[in-house]
Structures are given as C-alpha cells and as structure tokens.
Amino acid sequence: MTMAETRLGIELGPARTVAVVLDAAGRVLERAVARNLRSALETLPDHTAQLTVVDAGELATEALELGNVARTAVVRIGAPLTLAVPPLTGWPGVLRSAVCAGTAVVAGGVEYDGAAAPLDEDAIARFLEQTRPESVAVTGLFAPFAPDQELAAAEVARRTLGRAIPISLSHEIGTLGLLERENATVLNAALTGVFDDLADELRSHGASPHPYLARGDGTLVALIPALSLPVAAVGSGTATALAGAFRLTGIDDAVVALAERNLLVGALRNGLAREARGPVKIAGVSTALRLASVRAVSDPADLGAVVARFVAGRLRPVLVAVGGASHGLPREVEGVAEVIHPPSGALARAIGAAFMPVGGEAERACVDREDLRHDARRGAHADAYERAVHHGADPNRVEVVDVEETPLTALSAGMVRIRVRVAGPP
Amino acid sequence: MLSGSVRLTRLDVPRLDALARGCALLASGGGGDPSVALASAVHAVEAHGPVEVVTLNDLPHDALVLPCGQVGSMALAAERIWSGDEGRALVDVIERRCGTRVAVLAPFEVGGANGLLPVTWAARLGLPLADADGMGRTFPRLFQQTMHLAGVPASPVAVTDGRGNTVLIEADDDRAAERLVRAALAGMGGIGAVALYSMTASQARRAAIGGSLSRAYSLGRGPPEGLELLIEGRVIDIERRDDARAATVRRGARQLRLELCGEYLLALEDGAIVAAVPDIICVLAAESGDPVSADALRYGAEVTVATLPAPAVWRSGPGLELVGPLAFGYDHG
C-alpha cells in the first residue's frame, strides 16, 4: 500500500477526537483517540495522507448552542410580498438575540416566470449602514430560479460595509420554500468563521494540502468552499456514522444506533442515510437542509421500542451499533433480528467520513414541454456539475445521483421544477 | 355534528394550531401545506388580536359574506408568501362593485391552507369570520362549491397578486369564471388571492356549508374523532401517469390502492371502492399521526389511511355530479 492511497478520517467531539489512517480498501492502518485535534494528530505516527476528511459539524452545533455566533443583518427581498410572515418567525428567543443585528424586508423579488420587481438597493444600504453587522444574510423571493437580485444586494453590502464583509446568499444554500431557506441562510451567516481555527490547525499540522469537511447530507466539500457554507456541516456526525456503519458491515438496510454523549437511531436504505422528510430543526429553527432522519433515545432501555416505531412495520431489522460509547449498548434488543457490533465500530464516523462522495445540486423551472424540460435538465445538470467540481469533486468522475421533476400544478401554462443531484469522488 | 365537536367562537393563538391540524385533515391530501398560512395567522392575531367566529344564523339577513382564499400552484405557496394586505384589496374591489360593506369573511375552502388564510385577513381588517365554507374539504376547481349548486354566482370575482395589482372578473357562468381566474394567474405570479361567491347571510344560510371551521377545530384539537380506519400499512408502490398517481398500501395480505391527483380521490380494495370523493380520505404518518399530503406520499412510508364523511349536501344527485368520482374521470364510481 503506497502512501498516496491512504486517507485520514477525523471526527471531532463532542467528548473526544478520533483520527484514523485508512488504506484504499478502508482497512484501519493507524488510529488515535485524543482530547483534541492537535493531540490526535501528534499521536499518529505518520498522518501524511493523500486525502484528509474532517467530520466537524459538532463545532457548528456547539457554536449555535453557546450563542457563539456572528451578529447578522437579515435582508429579505420581496416586499410587499412576504410581509405576512416576518424574518426569524418562530426562532428561539435566545438564539435570535444572539444572531440578529436587525431585519429588513425590502422591495423587489422575482416571480416564478422570471418577471422581476425593481430592487430597492437604497433601502438595503440604509439598513446595513444603521446595523453595522458582522455578517449579512440575503434571501430573495424565487432566488433559486433567478439569483440576480441577491447578487446585486451582495454588491450593495460590500459597497456599504467593505469588501471583507461575509455574505450568505440563499440561492447557494437552499431550494424553494422561502422561510426554511431564509432560516438556513441566516444560520449560515451566523456561523461565519466557525471553522477558521480548524482550518488553521489543519494547515499548521499539515495533514494534507486539501482537506475536506463532511456535510449533513452525506457528501463532502473541500475546506475552502466549506468555510462559506458552514451550515451544511450541521448534522455531519449522523451522516458519517451512517456511512461508516454501511462501510463496516455492508448491510444496506440496517438500523444504526449511534452512541456518544447521546444515543441516536438512524436508518440505511440502499446503503444511504434515510433522509428526513419536510423541514428539519436546527437549534430549534426550521430549515430545509437535507439531513438524515434520526430519533433520540433518552433511555437505552427504550432502544427496542424506538427502533420499532422508527421502522414501523418492517420485520425485525438488523441493528448496527457504532460510536464511542457503542460498547455499552446491549447485545440483544427486543424486536431486532441481530445486534452487530462491528470491529472498529467506535471509529465509524471517522471511517464513514473518509469515503463519502463530493456532491452538487441545482434546480430550474420551465414550462412543462418535453423540449424545454430537456433544456432545463441539461441546464440544472451543468450547474450541479459545476457546484460539485467547486466542492472538490474529481471533474472526470461526477455522475448523476437523482433527477426530480415536480409539476407546479394548477397554472394555465403548466410549469415543472427540475432538480438534479450529482456526486463524484474527491 | 359529531360527538366531541365544539363550536368555535373565537380564534386566538392557542386555537390556531388545532385549526391548522383540522384543516390539514379535511384537505383529503390536497389544499397545500397549512404551515405558512398558520405562521401568518399567528403573526396577524398576535399583532391585531383574536378573530371572532360567528355562525351564519348570528348575522343580519342582508349582511354581505365574502368567501376568500388563494388559488393557483400550491407548489409556489411556500415561496410566494403573502403580504397580509390581500384581504383589504379584495374587500375594496368587492365593496366598490357591490356598493355594500363586507360584514364578514369566510374561507371558500376549509381544507388545507385556505382554511387558515382568511384568519390573517380578518385579523388585519378587524372583521369576523363566518363559521362556514363552500366545500367542507378541498377541491381542485373553484366552482366545486355548494354555492354553485345553490345557484349563487361566483362573480363578481376579485383576484389580487399581493403586489397591489387586482383584477375584477364578471363572468357569464362559474366555469368561465374559473378559466378567467386561471388566465389572470399566469400574469400574477402563478398564485392569487381570490374572493368569489359574495352573498348575503340569508343566501349563505341555504348555499354554504355551516360549521366548517368548528368541524376543523374539533378534529384538530385532540385525537381526531369520527375517522373510519381503512388500513395501517406501508406504501409498497407508487405509479405515475401524467398528473395522476396511484399508491398501494399493504398490510400482510391486504392491499389498499389509493388513486390521487392533487387530492386522495379513491380507495380501492380487491377492485372494489371502499372510499371515494367527495368523502375525505386521510393519510396519516404512522409515527407522528400528522396528515401526509398527496404530493408528499412516498414509497416506503408507514401510514394510516382513514376516511371522514363528506358534508351531506355532496351526496345529493347534483352534488355527486359536481364532485363525485365521475367529475374526476373515474367511471367505476
């Protein structure tokens, strides 16, 4: 096994840091379990690997829990539309006070068919002048279809607050569904800088020149683009645990128990994490991020009951136990065919992270006619491909994972929304 | 009314959650996700105070009742959130046209988001809501309303896009009104706020379905009563052809086939119809008990399928002709 084919997988927190060096087949060559990243890397005899992947979502979760966030100006483009539900509606009060430097809903916005209302750039400039935030979140009506006004607002923000001001734009973060996309965009802006220390440490310890971070959707992103999309790392711990459980057992429809400080249950379907349907809450905020569907188990004695509810109706699934505290899980669980404790199960997150693909996705809307659908599919595919490469995928090995076509019904000229997901190795 | 039902007299913030859940149950899988309409209603009631709910019998004979709601692509509704002032625009147009003050708003469709949307507008206008609607559930067409059966014309119809643009439609008949509304929507963002079938309280007493909001609230405030269970099982197949879909739910040797197109329309077992539109077919997520909309039903989902009876008016000959299985292209009804 040559050095060039090794991978370094790292999982951060909550209680410990794990670093493993793996060969191309996923065999563990070296391992270190330590209090923090520095000592974990120092413990490894040789941590030079071609590819380094860090599962660091815990840093983002912790920052939101502690309110250790950037004060963010929340700009929404679309008035008078959207005023019926103001920005940050339904946010927990404590998080809202920590995050919010002010909110403004300004005139502008686009329609589904591209018709645009003029953007009130002066209102944005005045608002940012007054609030002087550390970060800016911009959400434009229908921006996933037509991002121009968000880009114009970003230019106003840079003019007003300086070129260095961090800006999060909703079309880079989410899909249609204004409130959930806006919430994720604001969280993203608030998490600005959350990986800066990690980036410094990785640089100074020279793990590998181009590290990747794991995302909550089960894909990877290179560190540099990851720094501007921190919210995508939330939930990475569950995604890597599920990927690791599959990697370690090859069972593609198992239920997975992740035992760390808390006990969580998730499930695999065709070897991928079963995703949550509908909005998912992050730090009490409703977002549309694509995350694994999980259930918390408050008392380990209830594990069987939670698994039964979680997979309701499925006959006696296999349960794979992973995570730092998985040795404490029982060998037999009511209603479960078999409990598997894979060797290296305690390292599942680091192992899972090291082998996840790099992803990209994009969407378009068009009139529901075969030739236009064809063009829209190609356009969305090209955008998704470009994003995957920007995220660090090998440009020659990106493949389509999923194409989803949703009719926008009840319009006289039927419209359809097309969403393409692609993925490839780093 | 069913046992356990209560009369709703006032909509404050705690009651809105129960109303939203009931509206989702009555939607028969259609009508759009009520969550944005709920957030908007909560915001309006917090800012302007609770909304009074009155029965049609409480109103003077000549009081003008204005049924209203949204129409268009529900897929756009989660993005294109309303300003909240659409109610004002609709009332202005209708009052100018009719020369009478609007006394009370009502949902034209109690199922889904439309059961809640008039709450926002009523709160902001300081108007009461009538405990009534024109469907008792959700239907895809604007003329599929009891007012149409009773001969109350849909026109004048007011449509607004929430950006200050309004259209007044004077249609010769209700089907033409529907066509003209849809045509207007294409130039108004694909989804519009609409007011139609304006009528006096005495007309409404014979033409509208009374007690709709109370029914929704009663269904939503606890474990729903009056549901007839069809099956608890897992979605093992989804077929799609054009706009329509069919889902198969299996438990052991039993299989229930659901025909859906925007709403759940038919439930069949061994080729025999066990529930059919206009009766309401509810699909609930097994784990949470939350209603699952027809658009969100996915392969592998664990669900409970149950039915609720339609309002009696839809079981008449003319009622079934307007909203029965045949009206949706199913000839085995």
Side-chain angles (χ1 to χ4, degrees):
Chain A
M1 201 54 52
T2 65
M3 199 51 77
E5 283 165 324
T6 59
R7 296 174 180 227
L8 172 62
I10 300 169
E11 60 170 80
L12 299 185
R16 55 175 202 161
T17 295
V18 174
V20 294
V21 179
L22 304 157
D23 68 16
R27 282 185 292 259
V28 178
L29 304 178
E30 305 287 350
R31 74 182 67 190
V33 179
R35 290 183 65 82
N36 56 39
L37 179 61
R38 177 179 309 229
S39 40
L41 292 177
E42 282 169 0
T43 313
L44 285 180
D46 183 352
H47 58 257
T48 310
Q50 189 189 31
L51 178 71
T52 300
V53 178
V54 189
D55 168 0
E58 185 66 21
L59 297 177
T61 308
E62 195 179 82
L64 293 174
E65 271 168 19
L66 300 176
N68 195 359
V69 290
R71 284 182 64 257
T72 298
V74 181
V75 177
R76 185 196 286 175
I77 304 167
L81 282 173
T82 79
L83 285 166
V85 187
L88 311 189
T89 293
W91 278 50
V94 175
L95 183 61
R96 187 192 159 115
S97 334
V99 167
C100 181
T103 69
V105 185
V106 305
V110 183
E111 298 290 3
Y112 74 97
D113 58 1
L119 173 64
D120 189 346
E121 297 195 6
D122 291 346
I124 297 173
R126 281 195 307 273
F127 167 66
L128 295 178
E129 196 67 60
Q130 279 163 18
T131 45
R132 309 301 304 179
E134 296 167 323
S135 182
V136 180
V138 182
T139 306
L141 193 56
F142 286 103
F145 292 169
D148 313 27
Q149 293 196 343
E150 285 191 352
L151 296 169
E155 200 42 53
V156 173
R158 282 189 286 266
R159 250 187 350 249
T160 313
L161 302 169
R163 309 300 298 176
I165 184 76
I167 302 167
S168 295
L169 303 179
S170 83
H171 75 272
E172 292 174 348
I173 288 168
T175 174
L176 280 203
L178 184 95
L179 300 176
E180 278 87 19
R181 184 173 78 253
E182 177 177 70
N183 285 345
T185 307
V186 176
L187 288 175
N188 193 67
L191 286 168
T192 296
V194 74
F195 296 132
D196 286 0
D197 291 349
L198 172 66
D200 287 346
E201 257 183 89
L202 287 171
R203 248 189 302 271
S204 61
H205 286 76
S208 70
H210 302 295
Y212 285 74
L213 295 194
R215 296 166 44 126
D217 66 359
T219 66
L220 299 179
V221 56
L223 180 63
I224 301 302
L227 294 179
S228 54
L229 279 171
V231 78
V234 173
S236 67
T238 328
T240 57
L242 286 158
F246 177 50
R247 181 99 209 157
L248 291 170
T249 64
I251 302 171
D252 70 354
D253 63 349
V255 175
V256 178
L258 171 61
E260 293 181 321
R261 197 171 46 188
N262 303 314
L263 179 55
L264 295 176
V265 169
L268 292 166
R269 182 173 292 157
N270 302 325
L272 296 172
R274 196 171 95 185
E275 286 177 355
R277 298 247 171 260
V280 288
K281 290 212 165 182
I282 292 176
V285 174
S286 190
T287 73
L289 294 175
R290 200 184 272 283
L291 294 177
S293 172
V294 290
R295 296 293 176 276
V297 185
S298 42
D299 178 354
D302 295 340
L303 181 57
V306 173
V307 169
R309 272 203 305 277
F310 191 54
V311 299
R314 185 131 60 89
L315 287 173
R316 299 176 69 79
V318 169
L319 183 72
V320 178
V322 297
S326 57
H327 54 83
L329 289 175
R331 304 276 141 180
E332 281 178 25
V333 172
E334 176 79 39
V336 165
E338 188 187 356
V339 182
I340 296 179
H341 287 259
S344 309
L347 314 173
R349 283 176 51 198
I351 294 169
F355 287 95
M356 296 202 306
V358 181
E361 65 178 272
E363 68 180 341
R364 294 281 173 93
C366 68
V367 170
D368 193 356
R369 227 174 58 199
E370 183 45 45
D371 56 330
L372 299 177
R373 277 210 310 274
H374 178 75
D375 291 350
R377 268 195 301 268
R378 278 175 54 162
H381 181 209
D383 289 355
Y385 174 86
E386 200 176 301
R387 270 187 200 160
V389 172
H390 175 65
H391 288 167
D394 177 345
N396 298 316
R397 295 170 67 193
V398 174
E399 287 178 2
V400 174
V401 176
D402 186 35
V403 179
E404 196 180 292
E405 300 194 4
T406 319
L408 303 178
T409 46
L411 291 175
S412 46
M415 299 280 292
V416 62
R417 167 180 159 199
I418 291 172
R419 191 169 180 191
V420 176
R421 278 202 288 161
V422 302
Chain B
M1 271 192 187
L2 300 157
S3 67
S5 63
V6 288
R7 215 181 92 202
L8 186 62
T9 54
R10 194 177 143 87
L11 274 169
D12 50 19
V13 170
R15 290 194 175 105
L16 286 170
D17 271 326
L19 178 64
R21 193 177 141 72
C23 292
L25 281 166
L26 289 173
S28 199
D33 172 10
S35 67
V36 174
L38 173 62
S40 149
V42 167
H43 180 63
V45 167
E46 277 174 352
H48 301 276
V51 171
E52 301 306 317
V53 179
V54 298
T55 69
L56 294 171
N57 288 328
D58 293 337
L59 292 165
H61 295 299
D62 58 351
L64 188 62
V65 179
L66 188 63
C68 52
Q70 66 186 4
V71 59
S73 172
M74 291 306 122
L76 300 178
E79 178 72 19
R80 203 177 182 285
I81 293 167
W82 294 113
S83 73
D85 281 333
E86 293 77 17
R88 161 63 61 203
L90 296 173
V91 164
D92 283 351
V93 170
I94 296 294
E95 287 183 345
R96 268 204 312 273
R97 161 64 174 67
C98 298
T100 319
R101 299 303 297 267
V102 169
V104 58
L105 302 183
F108 70 72
E109 170 182 63
V110 75
N114 269 339
L116 284 157
L117 199 51
V119 178
T120 295
W121 298 335
R124 294 171 69 118
L125 289 165
L127 286 175
L129 271 182
D131 189 359
D133 83 320
M135 297 182 175
R137 45 163 290 159
T138 296
F139 287 121
R141 298 287 162 203
L142 287 173
F143 55 79
Q144 287 170 320
Q145 303 206 34
T146 52
M147 286 79 89
H148 177 71
L149 275 191
V152 174
S155 297
V157 181
V159 192
T160 178
D161 65 355
R163 287 192 177 275
N165 301 303
T166 51
V167 172
L168 174 63
I169 292 168
E170 302 277 4
D172 185 41
D173 66 61
D174 293 1
R175 287 172 195 261
E178 160 100 21
R179 278 198 306 279
L180 293 171
V181 168
R182 306 263 170 207
L185 291 184
M188 298 177 90
I191 182 164
V194 61
L196 71 179
Y197 291 110
S198 55
M199 57 195 155
T200 64
S202 63
Q203 281 178 302
R205 285 197 275 268
R206 64 177 176 80
I209 297 168
S212 303
L213 290 172
S214 290
R215 186 184 193 198
Y217 172 69
S218 303
L219 277 170
R221 79 191 170 122
E225 289 182 27
L227 266 73
E228 189 197 326
L229 177 70
L230 296 181
I231 197 168
E232 289 172 301
R234 181 187 181 91
V235 178
I236 56 154
D237 186 44
I238 301 251
E239 285 168 48
R240 193 180 156 182
R241 43 174 206 287
D242 302 326
D243 287 349
R245 293 196 301 159
T248 306
V249 181
R250 184 171 74 192
R251 184 195 176 95
R254 283 186 61 206
Q255 290 199 358
L256 187 80
R257 180 181 165 90
L258 291 170
E259 300 268 350
L260 42 142
C261 180
E263 286 99 31
Y264 299 112
L265 297 171
L266 292 185
L268 303 108
E269 191 166 348
D270 298 325
I273 292 178
V274 292
V277 65
D279 283 341
I280 295 153
I281 299 172
C282 308
V283 176
L284 309 174
E287 196 183 5
S288 62
D290 292 337
V292 180
S293 74
D295 293 339
L297 190 67
R298 296 285 187 273
Y299 175 81
E302 298 291 340
V303 296
T304 300
V305 185
T307 110
L308 279 167
V313 58
W314 291 130
R315 295 168 176 281
S316 68
L320 285 173
E321 195 178 320
L322 187 62
V323 299
L326 207 54
F328 293 88
Y330 296 106
D331 54 9
H332 41 346

